[in-house]
Amino acid sequence: MDSRRAHSPDPWSFPFSASASFPSSPTSHGISGLESYRVPSCDAEVNAEAVDLPPDQLKSLYRDLSKMPPTFDRLVLMVVDGLPAEFILGRGDSRPSKAMMEAMPYTQSLLLKREAIAYHAKASPPTVTMPRLKAMVSGAIGGFLDVAFNFNTQAFLDDNLLDQLYRIGWKLVMLGDNTWIKLFPGLFSRQDGVKDTVEVDYNVTRHLEAELAANDWSLLILHYLGLDHVGHIGGRQSKLMAPKLNEMDEVIKTIHTRLAQEQDNVDKRTLL
């Protein structure tokens, strides 16, 4: 037996570092505390023991320190997964196509009447669900390793808006993409995580009337997946695209109409 062959390395056994081949962006560890509730100054001191206050007292302390009264009392965060901005806002100086504008007439009317604010949010790749949600709630920049983690999502432990809102006593409700539940286990008072591709959007909308009538939540997350599925199956020119856009437009109309009826209630001002 050739001793050189006996001691030579297996050609398929070589050191491999996933982190080296797919670098991930570094994150700042720790949780933002009361020191970030107000503008920094030379003599800014915050009682560290205040972090252990009950949520209601912590919420009041936040308002006192920030000296910024909230403009809204509640937030509805509606995510239409896979919706290109150009369908609503057009591309460059060009307006959206006639078909796209006719597919979402209520949304276009809100923009025309300046009852809604439109802007482009440019996402960094990879544009799969999990790293994009992390970016939305924490500002984190995803790495390509997140593509692999997207299929086995773990709890998100870095500082983020949902955790901060939960700490000050906000009640959170989530309807839609199951990724939210995997990222933020235990944070939601009510949840209905969607995984199927058949009645995916119906499973969200069926709760809408009851949730809009409820008074026990501060943040309502609606994550619709149907349009993304249409895009993957048939592309942007799919015959299913316009009907699905119209369905999303009806959801926006339902939410906006209900919130408009409550605008005179100073204790229930809601931002969509």
Side-chain angles (χ1 to χ4, degrees):
M1 182 177 181
D2 190 337
S3 61
R4 290 173 298 176
R5 285 184 60 85
H7 292 90
S8 63
D10 185 335
W12 300 109
S13 299
F14 53 88
F16 177 79
S17 171
S19 61
S21 300
F22 300 97
S24 57
S25 302
T27 58
S28 299
H29 297 289
I31 303 297
S32 297
L34 300 179
E35 74 282 350
S36 61
Y37 286 2
R38 60 183 176 186
V39 178
S41 63
C42 296
D43 57 352
E45 293 183 4
V46 177
N47 186 355
E49 296 178 357
V51 177
D52 297 324
L53 290 174
D56 289 343
Q57 293 185 34
L58 192 59
K59 185 176 183 180
S60 298
L61 186 58
Y62 167 80
R63 292 183 178 181
D64 293 342
L65 288 175
S66 66
K67 298 180 181 179
M68 295 175 60
T71 305
F72 298 95
D73 303 290
R74 308 195 304 172
L75 171 66
V76 177
L77 174 61
M78 178 178 172
V79 179
V80 183
D81 206 315
L83 174 60
E86 64 192 74
F87 282 12
I88 308 294
L89 308 179
R91 180 187 289 271
D93 296 328
S94 301
R95 301 183 67 186
S97 67
K98 181 180 178 182
M100 292 298 99
M101 294 188 71
E102 291 178 346
M104 302 192 76
Y106 193 81
T107 302
Q108 291 296 339
S109 71
L110 292 178
L111 293 172
L112 185 63
K113 293 184 293 186
R114 298 186 181 275
E115 293 185 27
I117 299 175
Y119 60 91
H120 280 90
K122 297 184 178 180
S124 302
T127 55
V128 291
T129 302
M130 185 270 287
R132 294 270 51 81
L133 296 186
K134 290 165 84 172
M136 287 168 59
V137 301
S138 72
I141 300 175
F144 280 94
L145 191 59
D146 282 328
V147 175
F149 293 152
N150 187 64
F151 299 100
N152 185 28
T153 302
Q154 305 295 320
F156 187 45
L157 302 179
D158 293 339
D159 198 8
N160 62 83
L161 287 174
L162 264 62
D163 276 327
Q164 291 285 348
L165 294 174
Y166 182 82
R167 287 170 180 269
I168 62 172
W170 275 39
K171 302 299 181 184
L172 316 180
V173 175
M174 198 293 302
L175 308 172
D177 192 322
N178 198 51
T179 307
W180 289 93
I181 299 175
K182 294 180 179 179
L183 284 173
F184 307 104
L187 259 61
F188 302 110
S189 301
R190 288 188 297 278
Q191 60 190 37
D192 188 358
V194 174
K195 292 181 288 186
D196 68 276
T197 59
V198 180
E199 296 184 332
V200 58
D201 289 344
Y202 167 75
N203 289 336
V204 180
T205 303
R206 62 178 176 160
H207 300 285
L208 196 53
E209 285 294 338
E211 292 298 348
L212 291 176
N215 295 314
D216 62 344
W217 55 264
S218 304
L219 170 62
L220 173 62
I221 299 173
L222 309 169
H223 190 142
Y224 285 92
L225 286 165
L227 192 80
D228 186 53
H229 293 159
V230 170
H232 282 301
I233 294 170
R236 295 188 176 191
Q237 305 305 318
S238 170
K239 294 181 179 179
L240 300 175
M241 188 64 73
K244 178 55 69 174
L245 288 170
N246 189 252
E247 179 185 344
M248 295 296 97
D249 193 58
E250 286 297 319
V251 172
I252 293 171
K253 181 179 180 179
T254 298
I255 299 172
H256 183 262
T257 301
R258 175 62 67 88
L259 299 185
Q261 296 171 354
E262 301 172 350
Q263 63 181 356
D264 293 332
N265 187 341
V266 295
D267 297 322
K268 203 175 180 181
R269 299 163 299 179
T270 307
L271 173 67
L272 167 62

